[in-house]
Amino acid sequence: MSTTDDIPDDDLSATASEVRMATFRLARRLRAQRAVDTMSDGQFAVLAALKMHGLHTLSELADRERVTAPSMNRTVNCLEESGYLTRATDAADRRKVNITLTEAGLAVVEETVRRRDAWLEGALADLSGPERETLARAAAIMRAVADR
């Protein structure tokens, strides 16, 4: 037996596969609830990072999203052309360029989050109380696993 009492070691692979597939299916359904249909997941992730963590340089964004600087530059260029973010020279260090959300970018993030939460709330409303409690416990466990 594994350290969990309910799942034998030889079943961990099957359980891992089931959790992975269910997580990806749910994530795909949530990603579909977006304010701008033409925006890629990577573009939205940049906007969300700027909302959550404030201004970034291009290299900081690339590191955060685990992509190359040239790839992030293309993403930032597209978002800038669409009016969702701006670049400005840092007042303290003129060599540094900070990237920040515009009001339009903030609106996209807030509307997408609202739509995703509304979709998930509707899905949760169809579940029983015990099922919702199980998902709440699973969310805490999944957060802990992701933080490892």
Side-chain angles (χ1 to χ4, degrees):
M1 293 290 265
S2 69
T3 57
T4 61
D5 295 331
D6 298 337
I7 302 173
D9 286 337
D10 57 345
D11 289 343
L12 283 177
S13 179
T15 300
S17 184
E18 284 295 317
V19 170
R20 176 184 50 77
M21 290 187 314
T23 301
F24 281 129
R25 283 194 73 201
L26 179 58
R28 188 177 316 120
R29 294 292 305 268
L30 286 169
R31 283 192 310 267
Q33 307 302 314
R34 55 179 69 151
V36 179
D37 289 336
T38 58
M39 185 175 290
S40 72
D41 294 335
Q43 290 170 334
F44 180 77
V46 168
L47 297 182
L50 291 170
K51 180 185 185 300
M52 184 175 253
H53 303 288
L55 63 85
H56 280 64
T57 64
L58 186 70
S59 60
E60 289 168 343
L61 278 173
D63 288 345
R64 176 173 292 284
E65 297 304 315
R66 296 187 172 130
V67 298
T68 65
S71 175
M72 182 55 68
N73 191 48
R74 286 188 295 276
T75 299
V76 167
N77 285 341
C78 181
L79 291 168
E80 186 177 29
E81 288 169 13
S82 297
Y84 298 129
L85 55 79
T86 60
R87 297 180 206 225
T89 303
D90 190 276
D93 182 351
R94 308 281 301 154
R95 298 168 297 172
K96 186 173 157 184
V97 175
N98 294 316
I99 300 166
T100 57
L101 277 179
T102 63
E103 288 297 318
L106 179 61
V108 167
V109 173
E110 289 176 345
E111 177 61 14
T112 297
V113 168
R114 186 199 66 73
R115 288 179 184 205
R116 289 175 177 176
D117 285 350
W119 180 87
L120 190 54
E121 186 177 331
L124 293 175
D126 292 339
L127 301 177
S128 68
E131 288 172 322
R132 286 193 299 270
E133 290 172 17
T134 298
L135 282 177
R137 286 193 309 275
I141 294 166
M142 292 172 74
R143 239 187 330 273
V145 169
D147 289 343
R148 288 185 182 173

